[in-house]
């Protein structure tokens, strides 16, 4: 592939950022409430087989419905109580979430987890997040008392150590004002750039906290969180997975791995119920 073609997707992400920052948002329908049946069923009580509710945490520019139209039913059909929520909304920007300061979004996660635990009667939950949704909960676990309420965190293509956006972020110093634009108008994006103050604070002293099991699912074709190996965590209780080690034919990139990759979903199910885990192969796409 020509070099300029490799730059198109991350460049589009930056252009979308600028658009969100400077163009007034149109009024659109709010999509924060998932279907009342299946997931976000507040009458759901965890089963003996799956005693912990699962909270799904969407990524940047996503929301609590669109990010989970495939994974939520996949887990619900396997007898999990599944919940999702919107976080990180910016004033005047409907539909797109995950744009506010990540530490403030972690506070919203804390509130939502407490609500889920109160409704289900469970002492702990499991978290599954895509992209920023796999990163942000780590702040909750480390700084907001989440470790006492979370059994496992499964990150699908999480930017645990930030992203270079295929090298695009290295160009920010050469464009005066762009970094300030990101920080002021879309703080979550600035927080996710390699070397940001947020990431420095989060990762100082180690990637993990005691008592929580961590799983990271990555794809070598990720064009958003780069380099892809920066997604992996170090520490006890960590299981790092490269999908292509399980199925070389899996071509999912950053979006597909979270939205509809059933090979990744099979690994999510394994992480949530390791006692009954089964081998993940290319055939898992049909499971």
């Amino acid at each position: 592939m020509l070099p300029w073609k490799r730059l198109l997707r991350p460049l589009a992400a930056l252009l979308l950022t600028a658009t969100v920052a400077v163009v007034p948002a149109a009024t659109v329908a709010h999509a924060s409430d998932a279907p009342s049946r299946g997931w976000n069923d507040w009458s759901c009580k965890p089963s003996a087989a799956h005693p912990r509710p699962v909270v799904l945490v969407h990524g940047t520019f996503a929301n609590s419905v669109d990010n989970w139209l495939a994974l939520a039913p996949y887990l619900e059909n396997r007898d999990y109580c599944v919940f999702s929520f919107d976080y990180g909304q910016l004033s005047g920007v409907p539909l797109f979430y995950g744009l506010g300061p990540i530490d403030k979004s972690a506070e919203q996660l804390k509130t939502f987890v407490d609500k889920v635990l109160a409704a289900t009667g469970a002492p702990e939950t499991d978290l599954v997040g895509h992209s920023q949704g796999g990163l942000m909960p780590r702040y909750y676990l480390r700084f907001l008392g989440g470790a006492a309420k979370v059994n496992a965190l499964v990150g699908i293509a999480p930017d645990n150590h930030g992203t270079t956006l295929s090298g695009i972020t290295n160009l920010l110093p050469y464009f005066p004002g762009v970094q300030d634009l990101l920080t002021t108008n879309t703080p979550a994006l600035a927080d996710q750039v390699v070397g940001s103050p947020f990431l420095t604070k989060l990762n100082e002293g180690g990637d993990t906290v005691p008592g929580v099991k961590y799983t990271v699912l990555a794809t070598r074709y990720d064009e958003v969180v780069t380099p892809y190996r920066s997604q992996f965590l170090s520490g006890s209780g960590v299981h790092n997975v490269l999908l292509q080690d399980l199925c070389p034919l899996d071509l999912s990139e950053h979006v597909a791995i979270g939205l509809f990759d059933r090979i990744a979903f099979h690994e999510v199910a394994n992480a949530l119920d390791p006692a009954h885990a089964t081998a993940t192969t290319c055939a898992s796409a049909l499971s």
Side-chain angles (χ1 to χ4, degrees), residues 166-238:
S166 298
I168 289 293
T169 60
N170 296 329
L171 300 177
L172 291 178
Y174 299 97
F175 294 90
V178 173
Q179 183 71 55
D180 291 339
L181 178 69
L182 289 175
T183 302
T184 302
N185 295 284
T186 51
L189 296 186
D191 285 345
Q192 294 174 80
V193 173
V194 169
S196 72
F198 172 82
L199 288 169
T200 299
K201 176 181 178 180
L202 177 63
N203 292 319
E204 187 175 17
D207 292 345
T208 63
V209 296
V212 179
K213 304 176 185 70
Y214 296 82
T215 298
V216 175
L217 308 180
T219 169
R220 68 170 70 253
Y221 303 113
D222 198 313
E223 80 288 16
V224 175
V225 181
T226 58
Y228 73 85
R229 290 194 177 276
S230 68
Q231 301 173 27
F232 293 147
L233 296 171
S234 299
S236 60
V238 171

Side-chain angles (χ1 to χ4, degrees), residues 53-59 67-68 71-72 75 80-85 87 109 113 125-137 150 152-158 213 215 217 257-258 264-265 267-269 271-272:
V54 177
V55 173
L56 303 177
V57 190
H58 65 73
N67 212 144
W68 307 120
L71 181 56
L75 295 176
Y80 285 93
C81 291
V82 182
F83 300 87
S84 64
F85 73 112
Y87 69 86
L109 173 61
V113 167
T125 186
D126 289 325
L127 307 178
V128 178
H130 180 212
S131 193
Q132 183 193 159
L135 165 71
M136 178 268 278
V150 174
L153 169 62
V154 183
I156 305 173
K213 304 176 185 70
T215 298
L217 308 180
I257 189 178
F265 294 178
E267 274 297 287
V268 170
L272 295 177

Side-chain angles (χ1 to χ4, degrees), residues 100-129:
I102 296 181
D103 57 348
K104 300 302 181 184
S105 294
E107 294 177 3
Q108 293 178 271
L109 173 61
K110 172 183 170 66
T111 299
F112 190 77
V113 167
D114 287 345
K115 179 181 177 181
V116 168
L117 294 180
T120 60
E124 288 184 314
T125 186
D126 289 325
L127 307 178
V128 178

Side-chain angles (χ1 to χ4, degrees), residues 18-38:
T19 301
V20 170
V22 302
V23 178
T27 301
V28 298
H30 186 256
S32 64
D33 294 324
S36 59
R37 295 187 303 275

Side-chain angles (χ1 to χ4, degrees), residues 62-103:
N63 61 60
S64 61
V65 176
D66 295 342
N67 212 144
W68 307 120
L69 289 174
L71 181 56
Y74 181 94
L75 295 176
E76 189 272 333
N77 288 338
R78 286 157 177 77
D79 199 30
Y80 285 93
C81 291
V82 182
F83 300 87
S84 64
F85 73 112
D86 291 320
Y87 69 86
Q89 184 178 23
L90 294 178
S91 178
V93 182
L95 190 59
F96 297 106
Y97 296 84
L99 298 174
I102 296 181
D103 57 348

